[in-house]
């Protein structure tokens, strides 16, 4: 339950991304552009017990704010995530990430024949949310459906 507290302390200011599905923390960090050296002071907690999820991951980043794009991307790989904004050691804001109904430009279409994969085509990809649990997205141009791990494998940032 509070096993996380045995591993990492509370932060003064920043964000806590909680209820990340176990194993997805590193992918979330990648989305935030953190893949190696970083100036942020941060903690990654993986595989702690969660009432809702069985096991979960948590990321705490001091003095970081998230933009809309980052939140959208996080929702694709960690649809269960909760964002906690911390000020002066207190949670001043808490919300769940929300999958956008339409996702523009951040995913590739896996269909090689799709117009969005034509070398001379500059149209950005558009996916429409078709199902929530599990998440199913549909390419607006060719109707290809992507779900589960395919979603993160087709993120245009890798
Ligand atoms: N947290 C933190 N530093 C703080 C305050 C909170 O790192 N100064 C972390 C907590 O350790 C927890 C998350 O932020 O991982 C959310 O905190 P809180 O809302 O107090 O915990 P819960 O009530 O357990 O959250 P929830 O109901 O969303 O599961
Ligand atoms: Zn397509």
């Amino acid at each position: 339950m509070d096993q996380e507290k045995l591993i990492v302390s509370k932060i003064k200011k920043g964000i806590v991304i909680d209820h990340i599905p176990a194993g997805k923390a590193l992918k979330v960090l990648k989305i935030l552009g953190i893949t190696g050296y970083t100036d942020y002071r941060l903690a990654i907690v993986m595989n702690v017990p969660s009432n809702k999820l069985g096991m979960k991951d948590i990321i705490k980043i001091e003095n970081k704010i998230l933009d809309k794009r980052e939140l959208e991307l996080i929702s694709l790989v960690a649809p269960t995530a909760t964002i906690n904004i911390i000020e002066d050691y207190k949670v001043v804001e808490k919300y769940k990430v929300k999958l956008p109904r339409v996702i523009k430009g951040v995913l590739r279409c896996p269909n090689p024949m799709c117009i969005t994969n034509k070398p001379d085509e500059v149209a950005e990809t558009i996916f429409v949310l078709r199902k929530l649990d599990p998440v199913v997205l549909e390419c607006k141009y060719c109707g290809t459906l992507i779900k589960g791990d395919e979603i993160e494998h087709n993120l245009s940032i890798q």
Side-chain angles (χ1 to χ4, degrees):
M1 236 173 19
D2 271 355
Q3 212 156 312
E4 166 217 350
K5 296 206 174 71
L6 301 174
I7 303 172
V8 52
S9 57
K10 295 204 174 292
I11 62 171
K12 182 164 188 222
K13 182 181 165 67
I15 52 161
V16 175
I17 310 172
D18 197 357
H19 305 118
I20 300 169
K24 301 288 187 192
L26 296 177
K27 199 80 194 181
V28 171
L29 278 180
K30 211 172 206 180
I31 283 167
L32 302 178
I34 298 168
T35 54
Y37 288 107
T38 174
D39 288 332
Y40 287 111
R41 189 153 84 152
L42 65 92
I44 308 164
V45 181
M46 295 182 74
N47 296 321
V48 288
S50 151
N51 292 336
K52 293 173 224 161
L53 300 176
M55 296 285 223
K56 68 173 179 179
D57 291 355
I58 305 167
I59 297 170
K60 304 186 181 194
I61 311 177
E62 286 187 343
N63 300 309
K64 162 107 183 133
I65 50 166
L66 295 169
D67 63 31
K68 196 166 162 267
R69 197 61 160 180
E70 288 171 328
L71 284 168
E72 229 175 77
L73 284 162
I74 292 170
S75 74
L76 287 173
V77 301
T80 52
T82 308
I83 310 294
N84 296 274
I85 314 292
I86 314 294
E87 301 269 3
D88 204 15
Y89 289 104
K90 289 189 199 65
V91 178
V92 293
E93 208 182 321
K94 182 193 286 282
Y95 55 88
K96 279 181 159 294
V97 295
K98 196 169 170 291
L99 273 153
R101 233 180 40 76
V102 177
I103 297 138
K104 289 187 182 171
V106 295
L107 289 163
R108 290 185 301 248
C109 181
N111 170 13
M113 301 307 286
C114 181
I115 185 168
T116 59
N117 287 320
K118 296 259 152 66
D120 51 348
E121 180 56 56
V122 289
E124 71 174 358
T125 62
I126 301 178
F127 283 87
V128 181
L129 182 64
R130 286 288 176 237
K131 256 187 70 198
L132 256 183
D133 193 12
V135 177
V136 179
L137 306 173
E138 180 180 356
C139 174
K140 180 176 175 261
Y141 293 100
C142 72
T144 297
L145 299 177
I146 54 173
K147 51 180 180 294
D149 282 351
E150 283 170 340
I151 295 173
E152 58 187 74
H153 291 143
N154 285 295
L155 282 176
S156 41
I157 50 147
Q158 279 300 331

